[in-house]
Amino acid sequence: MRLILLAPPGAGKGTQAELIEEKFGIEHISTGDLLREAVEKGTPLGLKAKRFMDKGELVPDDIVVEIVKNKIRDLKEFILDGFPRTLEQAKILDRFLEENNEKLDAVIEIQVPDEKLVERSTGRLSCKCGEVYHEIYNPPRLEGICDRCGGKLYKREDDNPETMYSRIKTYKMKTLPLIKYYFQKGILRTINGDQDIERVFWDIEKELNKIKS
Ligand code: AP5
Ligand code: MG
């Protein structure tokens, strides 16, 4: 399956993408994680991207599009988390898939009320391996240590209330129009994200099983 997870910051895209990857064996591609990797390595692309990420703004389309194309070029199945985030990115993705005689199977929209987003993101603990935890809602077994790889958990620089407000505003301005775009294509599936992690996954799994059959 070729899937997109579409949701505001802190809604649970990364969390659900990891669960889908585990259950269905589909590769999870997070543009946020790829950009943070480039920032940490200090590459020219990373340095450019950091300026936008620190302000809660979107990194320019051309940078992100290249990263995604290189990642999905040889993949039959993927879960895109955090891409596309603008209409332009969505159209470029459609063209790219069309050129390869491929198409998206579903866009999973996860709906979460604004007030929960800040709470989820400010309590988040991240690991380099892609796992995400929450201090209250999904704590690791050992404090500060990743259950999966034993790595040291850290707080993301953009997980502070001020940057979160800016990220939510950016989402509403630039990314929300994609919901209509994919609804009109008939591939939008909306999930209630205001439930615990297992319940959200249960609902996503039901949708994915329908697509597969
Ligand atoms: P990115 O890393 O994609 O950040 P984001 O979209 O803001 O989303 P988050 O990663 O913050 O949240 P999430 O939905 O993955 O939630 P998670 O599962 O971690 O992007 C960062 C930046 O990179 C952007 O601001 C932009 O600058 C740039 N960028 C990235 N892609 C781009 C693009 N395509 N174009 C341009 N720029 C781009 O969960 C959050 C927390 O909640 C965790 O602690 C988790 O444990 C907890 N949680 C999850 N689900 C539940 C639940 N159901 N109940 C309770 N807690 C839960
Ligand atoms: Mg994420």
Side-chain angles (χ1 to χ4, degrees):
M1 285 180 282
R2 296 184 197 91
L3 308 171
I4 286 176
L5 291 186
L6 187 62
K13 300 183 291 297
T15 302
Q16 295 300 327
E18 288 290 307
L19 293 170
I20 300 170
E21 181 173 68
E22 210 173 288
K23 180 94 190 200
F24 291 86
I26 308 174
E27 190 165 334
H28 167 203
I29 298 166
S30 156
T31 42
D33 287 349
L34 292 169
L35 288 166
R36 278 184 290 279
E37 216 176 281
V39 171
E40 195 177 302
K41 285 186 185 147
T43 64
L45 184 151
L47 293 176
K48 191 170 174 195
K50 188 175 188 315
R51 295 208 303 271
F52 298 92
M53 296 168 80
D54 285 347
K55 287 189 278 183
E57 292 171 6
L58 294 185
V59 174
D61 286 347
D62 55 335
I63 295 184
V64 187
V65 162
E66 271 322 295
I67 294 180
V68 174
K69 278 187 181 172
N70 286 333
K71 270 283 177 189
I72 64 172
R73 204 176 297 279
D74 300 318
L75 290 179
K76 279 274 150 271
E77 300 192 292
F78 52 75
I79 311 158
L80 288 177
D81 153 9
F83 184 94
R85 262 174 146 106
T86 62
L87 267 180
E88 187 55 26
Q89 290 180 9
K91 287 177 185 167
I92 292 172
L93 176 65
D94 281 348
R95 279 201 297 276
F96 182 76
L97 293 174
E98 259 166 48
E99 280 161 21
N100 294 291
N101 294 317
E102 290 167 350
K103 63 179 179 54
L104 291 168
D105 293 293
V107 175
I108 312 277
E109 180 206 2
I110 308 172
Q111 287 186 341
V112 177
D114 283 5
E115 64 273 14
K116 298 268 174 87
L117 299 175
V118 179
E119 190 195 1
R120 286 190 187 179
S121 113
T122 51
R124 170 169 39 203
L125 298 165
S126 303
C127 182
K128 292 269 153 44
C129 75
E131 281 288 285
V132 263
Y133 300 86
H134 191 280
E135 287 164 347
I136 299 163
Y137 303 123
N138 183 25
R141 282 197 291 271
L142 287 176
E143 198 181 325
I145 305 291
C146 177
D147 293 353
R148 182 161 75 179
C149 74
K152 196 165 175 274
L153 302 179
Y154 67 95
K155 286 215 169 233
R156 270 170 48 179
E157 278 187 37
D158 58 352
D159 274 346
N160 57 76
E162 199 187 323
T163 314
M164 257 313 266
Y165 290 124
S166 162
R167 286 159 60 196
I168 293 170
K169 196 170 146 206
T170 304
Y171 177 81
K172 290 188 173 163
M173 273 166 49
K174 305 270 175 69
T175 311
L176 261 188
L178 295 186
I179 289 173
K180 188 171 166 206
Y181 179 78
Y182 288 122
F183 174 77
Q184 286 172 341
K185 286 182 176 287
I187 54 170
L188 185 76
R189 313 238 169 179
T190 302
I191 301 289
N192 174 15
D194 191 10
Q195 318 178 74
D196 65 34
I197 293 171
E198 290 70 28
R199 185 71 220 186
V200 176
F201 182 59
W202 171 256
D203 286 353
I204 293 179
E205 203 183 347
K206 270 195 297 189
E207 289 300 324
L208 297 185
N209 284 330
K210 277 190 228 160
I211 296 166
K212 271 178 65 182
S213 59

